[in-house]
Amino acid sequence: MLIKCPHCGTRPVEEFTFNGDASIQRPTSNDPATMDQWFDYVYLRDNPKGRFDEYAHHSSGCRAWLVVTRDTQTHEIFNVVTARDYAKKRVAS
Amino acid sequence: MTGFRLDKGGLIDRKAPLYFTFDGRAFTGFAGDTLASALISNDVHLMGRSFKYHRPRGVISAGSSEPNALVELREGARKEANTRATMIELHDGLVAKSQNHWPSLEFDIGALNSLASAMFVAGFYYKTFMWPKSFWEKIYEPIIRKAAGLGNASKEADPDKYEKAYAHCDLLVVGSGPAGLIAALMAARSGARIILADESSTLGGSLLNENEEIGGMSGHAWAIGVIGELGSKSNVTLMPRTTIFGWYDDNIFGAVERVNDHVLEPSPYEPRQRYWRIMAKRAVMATGAEERPIVFGGNDVPGVMTAGALRTYANRYAAAAGKSVVVFTNNNSGYRTARDMNAHGVHVEVIIDSRKEPNVDAGGVPVIRGGAIVNVRGGKRVSGVELADHRMIPCDAVAMSGGWSPIVNLMCHRGAKPKWDERIAGFVPPDVGDRFVAAGSAAGRMLLSECLADGARAGTLKGKTPAIPKCRDEAFAVTPLWWVKESTGKAFVDYQNDSTAKDLPLAAQEGYRDIELAKRYTTAGMATDQGKLGNVNAIAILAEATGRTMDQVGTTTFRPYYTPVSFGAIAGPFVGHHFQPVRKTPLHDWADELGAVFVETGLWMRSSWFPQAGEDWLASASREVLATRERVGLCDVSTLGKIDVQGKDAAEFLNRLYCNTFSTLDVGKARYGLMLREDGIVFDDGTTSRLAADHFLMTTTTANAARVMSHMEFCHQAHWPELDVQYVSVTEQWAQMAIAGPKARATLQKIVDKVTLDDTGFPYLAAKEISILGGMTARLFRISFSGEHAYELAVPADYGNLVARSIMQAGEEFGITPYGIEALSIMRIEKGHVAGGELNGTTTAGDLGLGKMMSSKKDYIGRMMAAREGLTDKNRQCVVGIRPFDAADKIRAGSHILKKEDAPSMAADQGYISSVAWSPMLNMWLGLALLSNGRERHGEVVKIFDGVRKIHMFGVICDPMQYDRENKKLHA
Ligand SMILES: [Zn+2]
């Protein structure tokens, strides 16, 4: 598989390390009442078939965390953005 | 014809005789031969024994699908088992041995299995050897292991080199037959970057084997012309001897190039094989088609082979597989063999065609229509065939053709399934999009003109497809005959694994109707050839037995590798000391000079102890501890991870990463930090110093240095991109050493510039940039892992050895001693400091006795989850000290702790010992342990149970800190 890093261009998958679903967001509250949200965030993951936003660290490259949007069935990659831009866009929306 | 070598023809060089041995006998062949063709020309057909019944076997094919003629190639360290005689290029001095027999190929005891074959029906492994259970290990398994298995691997290290290589191209063409050649030619003429790969030693594919006519010349002459043009172009890379073994995501292909398998010994400057990764914008699968055997009695007797193989041996290698040939066919291929053999002057006795009314040019050879062979006579060589009508026809070779299967493997490697095509009686490749297309007979187009047209189309990357040269077509027609049910002899579906026609209905009868299950139950298709010849026959027989169509049964899963790939090629150059890099610390030379024994920790080489004459590791480490605690010691701690953190929000960033607070840390001071995982478990620890308001220097444990860095990058970029902070690993940039002991201050004072190292000038936990040795930049930290009055000094890496030597010199008058990580570990256990044994991915801050560090005034990674009930339970195992009750006893890490009255068993487990050390200060073994509710149990006598050694003893639980409990020495 080849991944197009926004900084480094198209690079082989071996240069990347993966860290699962990027669509879930770390809760911000420390209120004990939010424990269920935290539990979901830390432990619960979907295993979707099809389009999936996934964290990928360009660990043997520029060291940027990226969000790769990929079809889990065909491995077609639709989009790659930095995790930074992904997070900022999420805050904005 | 002299012997079995034809007088003329073939692509062999008769002026270049080659000498080789097979099973110790000397033979002669010619350049251009394979081992198989050379043996056939010497009338050697018996080349191996089968796996289960040890039946005598000869070649079935003339290519990479060969299941039978597997040999041990070469000797000594270069010996390679299970190589296919059909793919081995003959060279001078070649040595090969048959395999899978004992005591000899001619006489094999295992062949008795054949007589007891009732025992060896499908699934026999699962049935016969199930009972009694105790027999498995002692009796069944050793017998099966001795009798089974293929060749023997060399036990010596491979002396040859292997390489990994990468290539990019506009078009990859797999296979260099008519379709592949013309595809490559069209694409090459357009200027595109082309790679043309073929598994054979010579490009040309079927044009090397068959009598064809293209553009008014022989197919072979046409191929030479095309290859010549391709070879002259700078945009074309020709790769013979290269197997494209797999197709992966994004049109990436894996390949093995056999650079030097065809010579006796590779040149010292070249690899034996090269492992390629080819990134292709587009690719053409022009892999051709594979001829199928027919399943009939004795279809494995040496001398029986596919019709295409028989004429390939004659046409390409000028080797006659016999002097009198019988052809058995269900399609036109058999006729072609008959005509070609006739033309070579080899007698063809008869064509037995299972079809009733074929109308094909038999070249004058008599044809029996609607006939079938039920048995082949002969043991180690064909002597005749018996027909269904009881006729017996003497012959010494049988050419069989059960039809042709497009070689679809590559296109199915990513999950798509092939489709059954009634017209050609074969599975054709799936449509996988326009980046990878099939052409020629691989796509089910069985006429030469179709192959050329198809290849030209596939190779035309832009514009109109140019006209193709005129050629002569050989008609194609097939009526399936899979299995001659009247067979009287054993009829094989999978040769290498000895699966017979009867095994498949049996599998279906026992419920294994799914092809994937039937495959595993009968082992058909599971051998080194992966069922290249037998799978379609197996599917057809299973379809019939279960009343389904070919598509309903379907194929098994096609996976890389297409043919076996050596471990050498996969490992590439990454063997021995190239397997992984060695990280030497900046103090390595210094430690080496002083006789350090190094230990590998991850990639690092760490100085472990510094033995003097006659000392073992324990004596050495004990002396180092005593010297440090009584005088002064110097230890290399450069492997700790060091991360430089800067920026306006650096303190805030650290606050969120660590469970304790760093924003309150004064400039010029160090603080111990504890980092949790998001699930509340401890992740890492280390000292962080504030060098300026917006500048921190973190340290991590040696083991977690890389992980912590990735974690910081994730937290910053994914969670908190708004933080203005930058950080970079400086582990490699700084040499770091600990100077510990009562004389540490006096020693260091001699090398530092200006600073006075007293409690005002440099108090406990001071952390400052200073200069040493008259102007060298250094960072000095007054921190201690040993519990002594101690410092850590960091200097630019290149000065590490020099500074360490200078400190040794300065400390000489005080009796300075180098100490290694063994002594370091003893001292930290004496002081009850946690390390890897306790920071083991299961413990919380509370378990480690560090619960008070967890701030309640801020959010940080792990805060919420650490508060969960289960992580704060008072009965959790927490860190305690432990000693043997009898000071003479030795306690061991990993031993479990029970209540003193409990019987020694895991049922009463209360915790375990996580670290131990011999304490030279206390003259006994000490440990740290994780014990349920341990903090409440100091003073309790417990039972220590070592279940591995089956010993138990009494111990006493105590505070983790067992030496200098008032920390007098630390603050001295
Ligand atoms: Zn990158």
Side-chain angles (χ1 to χ4, degrees), chain B residues 349 562 596 774:
Chain B
E349 193 70 37
Y562 177 65

Side-chain angles (χ1 to χ4, degrees), chain B residues 27-326:
Chain B
F27 294 100
T28 312
F30 294 111
D33 261 326
T34 61
L35 175 60
S37 70
L39 286 172
I40 287 170
S41 75
N42 282 284
D43 196 24
V44 175
H45 280 259
L46 175 57
M47 297 188 200
R49 293 249 174 196
S50 69
F51 184 69
K52 200 159 82 179
Y53 300 131
H54 290 229
R55 305 236 322 176
R57 291 281 165 82
V59 284
I60 294 285
S61 75
S64 63
S65 59
E66 179 58 32
N68 281 349
L70 304 185
V71 300
E72 283 177 14
L73 183 63
R74 302 182 285 268
E75 293 177 302
R78 290 194 166 90
K79 183 169 81 169
E80 190 181 346
N82 306 335
T83 53
R84 291 148 295 165
T86 50
M87 295 299 285
I88 299 166
E89 293 174 57
L90 198 67
H91 51 265
D92 230 6
L94 180 148
V95 176
K97 274 198 203 120
S98 59
Q99 53 189 38
N100 208 24
H101 56 72
W102 186 82
S104 77
L105 182 59
E106 290 287 329
F107 177 77
D108 174 59
I109 282 183
L112 294 174
N113 283 355
S114 215
L115 303 176
S117 62
M119 242 178 84
F120 286 83
V121 294
F124 79 105
Y125 284 111
Y126 312 114
K127 288 174 186 164
T128 314
F129 303 112
M130 286 298 287
W131 183 92
K133 203 173 160 207
S134 61
F135 270 38
W136 176 253
E137 213 174 295
K138 296 241 154 53
I139 295 171
Y140 295 143
E141 199 185 351
I143 290 173
I144 293 172
R145 291 237 175 269
K146 192 163 157 51
L150 297 168
N152 294 307
S154 171
K155 300 225 161 68
E156 295 168 58
D158 188 337
D160 295 327
K161 291 195 281 285
Y162 298 81
E163 283 181 2
K164 299 212 176 193
Y166 299 80
H168 299 257
C169 61
D170 295 315
L171 185 73
L172 168 68
V173 180
V174 188
S176 63
L181 280 182
I182 203 162
L185 185 66
M186 295 307 167
R189 284 178 179 168
S190 76
R193 287 180 309 160
I194 312 297
I195 294 174
L196 173 63
D198 195 290
E199 63 181 354
S200 180
S201 57
T202 313
L203 299 178
S206 62
L207 298 175
L208 304 171
N209 310 334
E210 308 281 15
N211 286 312
E212 308 282 17
E213 208 182 287
I214 304 175
M217 59 186 107
S218 77
H220 183 230
W222 179 81
I224 288 174
V226 172
I227 294 160
E229 181 178 341
L230 290 171
S232 70
K233 288 184 176 296
S234 61
N235 56 324
V236 176
T237 306
L238 300 178
M239 297 181 74
R241 301 191 176 102
T242 302
T243 303
I244 305 291
F245 60 67
W247 179 47
Y248 303 93
D249 289 332
D250 285 319
N251 240 28
I252 296 172
F253 291 82
V256 164
E257 181 187 6
R258 288 171 292 279
V259 185
N260 273 307
D261 275 354
H262 62 293
V263 295
L264 198 57
E265 262 181 43
S267 134
Y269 307 106
E270 284 190 345
R272 172 172 291 284
Q273 296 176 349
R274 217 172 259 136
Y275 193 80
W276 286 92
R277 181 187 300 206
I278 301 172
M279 268 67 66
K281 278 193 189 139
R282 297 178 59 174
V284 176
M285 183 175 83
T287 45
E290 192 83 68
E291 194 169 27
R292 294 187 294 259
I294 301 177
V295 182
F296 59 94
N299 64 348
D300 67 325
V301 176
V304 180
M305 63 183 75
T306 64
L310 199 107
R311 64 179 186 263
T312 293
Y313 285 117
N315 293 340
R316 177 170 175 181
Y317 301 108
K323 297 196 168 181
S324 173
V325 178
V326 165

Side-chain angles (χ1 to χ4, degrees), chain B residues 616-856:
Chain B
D616 64 3
W617 73 271
L618 187 55
S620 177
S622 300
R623 174 183 48 74
E624 292 162 29
V625 169
L626 287 166
T628 303
R629 294 226 187 274
E630 284 165 12
R631 300 186 295 277
V632 55
L634 174 58
C635 182
D636 180 6
V637 293
S638 303
T639 61
L640 292 175
K642 310 175 201 79
I643 301 170
D644 195 278
V645 187
Q646 301 190 32
K648 182 166 67 64
D649 295 326
E652 174 60 20
F653 187 41
L654 296 180
N655 274 355
R656 297 186 194 185
L657 288 171
Y658 285 99
C659 73
N660 51 321
T661 306
F662 280 91
S663 52
T664 54
L665 181 62
D666 290 334
V667 172
K669 295 288 265 193
R671 178 174 288 171
Y672 175 72
L674 195 64
M675 202 181 271
L676 310 188
R677 309 190 307 218
E678 195 70 276
D679 66 357
I681 298 293
V682 172
F683 174 28
D684 199 60
D685 70 343
T687 306
T688 291
S689 305
R690 192 168 201 169
L691 301 177
D694 58 355
H695 186 189
F696 292 81
L697 184 73
M698 279 173 61
T699 58
T700 74
T701 59
T702 299
N704 280 333
R707 260 186 295 256
V708 170
M709 188 70 196
S710 295
H711 175 68
M712 289 169 70
E713 287 162 336
F714 180 77
C715 290
H716 180 214
Q717 297 173 30
H719 294 330
W720 312 309
E722 70 281 5
L723 292 183
D724 179 4
V725 58
Q726 295 80 39
Y727 36 92
V728 65
S729 166
V730 292
T731 306
E732 304 272 349
Q733 280 68 30
W734 294 88
Q736 192 145 326
M737 54 209 98
I739 303 99
K743 295 291 180 188
R745 177 186 276 164
T747 302
L748 265 183
Q749 189 65 68
K750 289 173 70 177
I751 66 154
V752 302
D753 305 335
K754 294 180 208 145
V755 187
T756 308
L757 297 180
D758 58 19
D759 283 341
T760 354
F762 217 88
Y764 181 57
L765 293 177
K768 286 176 183 167
E769 197 153 290
I770 60 164
S771 84
I772 61 168
L773 298 171
M776 183 192 300
T777 301
R779 288 166 175 175
L780 187 63
F781 312 89
R782 192 172 155 193
I783 54 178
S784 174
F785 195 48
S786 57
E788 295 299 315
H789 181 111
Y791 301 84
E792 284 186 17
L793 179 69
V795 296
D798 287 350
Y799 295 122
N801 288 311
L802 177 136
V803 171
R805 290 179 196 122
S806 304
I807 294 172
M808 291 302 287
Q809 228 165 30
E812 200 175 349
E813 61 175 298
F814 310 113
I816 193 167
T817 301
Y819 69 97
I821 56 168
E822 286 297 341
L824 183 88
S825 176
I826 291 171
M827 289 192 277
R828 72 103 183 161
I829 291 169
E830 287 178 332
K831 290 298 289 181
H833 293 154
V834 292
E838 296 75 38
L839 299 168
N840 60 11
T842 68
T843 46
T844 65
D847 299 342
L848 301 177
L850 303 170
K852 290 204 183 83
M853 290 177 71
M854 295 161 73
S855 167
S856 58

